Amino acid sequence: KQEVTQIPAALSVPEGENLVLNCSFTDSAIYNLQWFRQDPGKGLTSLLLIQSSQREQTSGRLNASLDKSSGRSTLYIAASQPGDSATYLCAVPNQTGANNLFFGTGTRLTVIP
Amino acid sequence: ETGVTQTPRHLVMGMTNKKSLKCEQHLGHNAMYWYKQSAKKPLELMFVYNFKEQTENNSVPSRFSPECPNSSHLFLHLHTLQPEDSALYLCASSQVSVGDNEKLFFGSGTQLSVL
């Protein structure tokens, strides 16, 4: 069974700093990997989706990379802002369907003004 | 707004009550999902519907009963729940077809408390 791990569980940084969130998965036979953002008590918002054939995806200040062979992905956030404070989750599909996802427990990010 | 609406936002129920959670998507998607999010645990997939047909039941107890009357609506009927069922229940939708890997769109969730 696929297992997804995210380290660290929580991270605090001063505003303006660049930061990296880590995600690792045990089964490298994945269709894709998604990064989500979750604000407290709210649903998830999809940030980036990387196909298995891609190495990275970029959206604004966010850049996600994927290394299938090592079972790792990183989410890089440039010039962090207080509005980036949220929990960030990564997820990979299981064998039965591209969107039946296994989630990590997330990294809770706090950006201090 | 993500285009996926869940009601109610909050629900408190006793163990003998029967209640239903509702989800509606306005995105024209053909797949809908129920996920459970408990404190300090990863999101758990509960049910998947593709084209209104249930394609996955992730060993969910029978006290949770899903219903998908059409591709835009999804319900989760609750009966005789336990306190450990207290969690955030999230609905999601996506457009799924052969070879596609589309993003999931989530609703804001129903925060359920079982007393």
Side-chain angles (χ1 to χ4, degrees), chain A residues 31-53:
Chain A
Y31 295 107
N32 59 42
L33 183 144
Q34 292 191 56
W35 280 95
F36 294 86
R37 169 189 173 134
Q38 185 176 27
D39 293 287
K42 298 285 185 64
L44 281 69
T45 301
S46 182
L47 298 173
L48 291 164
L49 183 151
I50 311 177
Q51 305 288 1
S52 60
S53 58

Side-chain angles (χ1 to χ4, degrees), chain A:
Chain A
K1 180 181 175 183
Q2 179 75 269
E3 292 185 8
V4 181
T5 304
Q6 291 187 247
I7 296 173
L11 179 65
S12 291
V13 299
E15 182 177 1
E17 210 170 89
N18 303 326
L19 61 102
V20 175
L21 307 180
N22 297 294
C23 172
S24 61
F25 45 94
T26 53
D27 184 348
S28 61
I30 59 172
Y31 295 107
N32 59 42
L33 183 144
Q34 292 191 56
W35 280 95
F36 294 86
R37 169 189 173 134
Q38 185 176 27
D39 293 287
K42 298 285 185 64
L44 281 69
T45 301
S46 182
L47 298 173
L48 291 164
L49 183 151
I50 311 177
Q51 305 288 1
S52 60
S53 58
Q54 297 175 319
R55 295 299 298 266
E56 63 179 65
Q57 278 284 342
T58 298
S59 176
R61 295 181 294 107
L62 305 180
N63 176 276
S65 68
L66 175 63
D67 184 344
K68 279 183 58 178
S69 60
S70 66
R72 294 178 186 274
S73 176
T74 61
L75 179 66
Y76 174 82
I77 303 178
S80 59
Q81 303 172 357
D84 296 330
S85 298
T87 296
Y88 291 82
L89 300 104
C90 66
V92 295
N94 69 10
Q95 295 294 327
T96 62
N99 264 327
N100 303 344
L101 302 179
F102 283 102
F103 281 83
T105 51
T107 295
R108 189 175 70 253
L109 173 66
T110 303
V111 181
I112 304 166

Side-chain angles (χ1 to χ4, degrees), chain B residues 6-20:
Chain B
Q6 288 188 245
T7 55
R9 290 296 311 277
H10 302 274
L11 179 63
V12 179
M13 59 186 290
M15 290 191 285
T16 59
N17 293 157
K18 291 183 182 181
K19 297 286 185 183
S20 296

Side-chain angles (χ1 to χ4, degrees), chain B residues 8 13 21 34 41 63 75-77 88 94 102 104 107 110:
Chain B
M13 59 186 290
L21 310 185
W34 281 116
K41 292 177 66 176
R63 57 187 184 268
F75 295 90
L76 187 62
H77 303 300
L88 181 66
S94 70
E102 295 293 336
L104 247 61
T110 294

